[in-house]
Amino acid sequence: MEFEVTEAAALLDLIERAASFRRTASTQKNDASSRSHAICRIRIENPSMPTADDGLLYLVDLAGSEAARDVTNHTIDRMKEAREINTSLSVLKDCIRGRATVDAASLTGKPKKPTHIPFRQSSLTKILKHVFDPAGRRSCKTVVVACVNPSLPDTGAGKNTLKYAEMLRVLLPKAKAQAYNPEVPFTWSNEQLKSWINVNSGSPAISGDILAPFETGALLLRLPTPEFLTRCLKTPGVTADQARAFQAKFWRLHVDSQKSGSKTLEIKTNDEPSQEGNGRKTAMNQEMLSSSVDPDPQAAKIPFKDRIRPGMVVRWTPPPTFPLGLPGLNMVVVLSPQSAVGPNVREVSGDLVNDASKPTGKSNKYLCAMVLPGFMADSYELSMWRHVVVDIDQMEAEVLLEYDAATRYYYMTV
């Protein structure tokens, strides 16, 4: 059961109400010992990223464990209860250690054999499944607070608590320092990462100090997507499209760097063109072969509506009657002016692109091909046979797409 709260007082009131249902009983150590685990789940929305998954904060107050000497006067039911509590605490320990081991292996870049995490062996860990499941897509952090009594009679119990907490620690193996490689983000230091962000994040440039104040390349790769995008949007002028495109670019570079035997495409020429021609050829060599970027490096300074060209990808707002409008981002690839199309060509709605019975006047419309979402996250595919006529007034902005040969999809880039 969830309740929406907007202030701290309401949250504390709900916690107190929930605590009143908790089972307690008298034991040899405590007059009101908790005999059940208490879990408070707080769902946190991110108003700056409405489409992102909500954050989840679990506050877990564990039931008190008891040693064998503390249950000598208990009934059979109470002893069974103590055994179940101790079993659930043992499973929780194994789950925390297992997940920490998996995370440590991924952080050091040394894959190990699959680690079994027994979260199905206890009701407590079943509720926390997505925290411990290594196949889960959420990035999770776990903090354990151990409470001990400093009094002399409780020295033994305190030592047991500290031993339990000690078993939850997983020491990271010392990873061998990797030499810096500009094509491998995993090897970048914080300064090298910031330098790359400032140069490759588009216009306006995303602030490296905001996106990665202390992270290295390896740590930024572990940053959850909502947090990555939220940090990008803190730079003035950066749009959500630019933030998503930059994250996709960063991750594609990482994925490409992990492919064995990958080679960089080099184009050589025996000519020695002028400085201006050399700059143009460099842009074509590096970007035009796989991206929708304009081959003229100076084109970005011109408003996109003044340089519409075949192959340009634009974001547009379809009319309400358009049958294939998508929620959110709608993109098309410009093919040609409407006036250049033959008389028998029809768009996806079935209407003729050039209907002689309808006066067109001065045409500011273009025949375009639709860009549709792919099966992979943040991927797109070009649907050349789905034509649509787009008025220039419906075009909102140019979008840069880059083709990835490995997945055979297009991805937004900057």
Side-chain angles (χ1 to χ4, degrees), residues 137-392:
R137 61 186 181 88
R138 284 182 176 269
S139 178
C140 304
K141 294 183 179 180
T142 302
V143 176
V144 178
V145 179
C147 300
V148 295
N149 192 337
S151 64
L152 184 61
D154 292 323
T155 301
K159 289 176 63 177
N160 289 336
T161 299
L162 294 177
K163 286 180 180 178
Y164 179 85
E166 175 67 20
M167 288 188 292
L168 300 178
R169 297 179 61 196
V170 174
L171 299 179
L172 292 177
K174 291 185 178 180
K176 184 179 179 181
Q178 299 188 33
Y180 167 68
N181 186 332
E183 301 297 330
V184 183
F186 201 86
T187 66
W188 297 350
S189 66
N190 177 256
E191 291 301 323
Q192 292 161 346
L193 174 63
K194 288 180 180 179
S195 176
W196 185 86
I197 292 172
N198 294 333
V199 174
N200 294 275
S201 56
S203 179
I206 295 173
S207 171
D209 292 329
I210 296 177
L211 177 57
F214 62 86
E215 286 87 354
T216 62
L219 291 178
L220 190 63
L221 288 168
R222 293 171 56 85
L223 195 68
T225 296
E227 177 65 17
F228 189 105
L229 300 180
T230 300
R231 292 188 186 183
C232 290
L233 294 176
K234 290 181 180 179
T235 299
V238 174
T239 63
D241 289 346
Q242 181 183 352
R244 285 192 293 267
F246 176 64
Q247 189 202 28
K249 180 177 183 178
F250 180 58
W251 264 96
R252 285 199 305 277
L253 180 62
H254 169 64
V255 172
D256 291 342
S257 70
Q258 302 303 305
K259 296 176 183 176
S260 59
S262 60
K263 297 181 179 180
T264 303
L265 177 63
E266 296 183 358
I267 300 179
K268 298 182 179 180
T269 176
N270 295 325
D271 300 332
E272 294 183 358
S274 63
Q275 184 175 0
E276 180 180 358
N278 187 41
R280 182 180 179 88
K281 185 175 290 294
T282 300
M284 291 177 64
N285 289 346
Q286 295 180 349
E287 300 179 86
M288 186 180 176
L289 294 178
S290 61
S291 170
S292 65
V293 67
D294 196 301
D296 185 357
Q298 304 299 322
K301 301 178 181 179
I302 305 173
F304 83 97
K305 290 186 178 181
D306 295 336
R307 53 181 176 86
I308 299 293
R309 59 179 176 81
M312 175 183 283
V313 183
V314 296
R315 185 176 72 240
W316 73 298
T317 303
T321 57
F322 185 66
L324 296 179
L326 301 174
L329 187 64
N330 285 271
M331 294 186 294
V332 292
V333 177
V334 176
L335 300 180
S336 69
Q338 180 189 21
S339 58
V341 180
N344 298 321
V345 178
R346 296 181 181 271
E347 58 177 329
V348 69
S349 63
D351 298 333
L352 289 172
V353 173
N354 275 327
D355 192 346
S357 63
K358 297 180 181 179
T360 58
K362 185 178 179 180
S363 176
N364 283 322
K365 298 181 179 181
Y366 293 84
L367 180 68
C368 303
M370 296 186 63
V371 177
L372 302 177
F375 286 104
M376 301 184 67
D378 299 322
S379 66
Y380 301 92
E381 57 183 356
L382 178 58
S383 184
M384 289 296 296
W385 58 89
R386 288 187 173 93
H387 296 159
V388 59
V389 175
V390 179
D391 193 295
I392 195 171

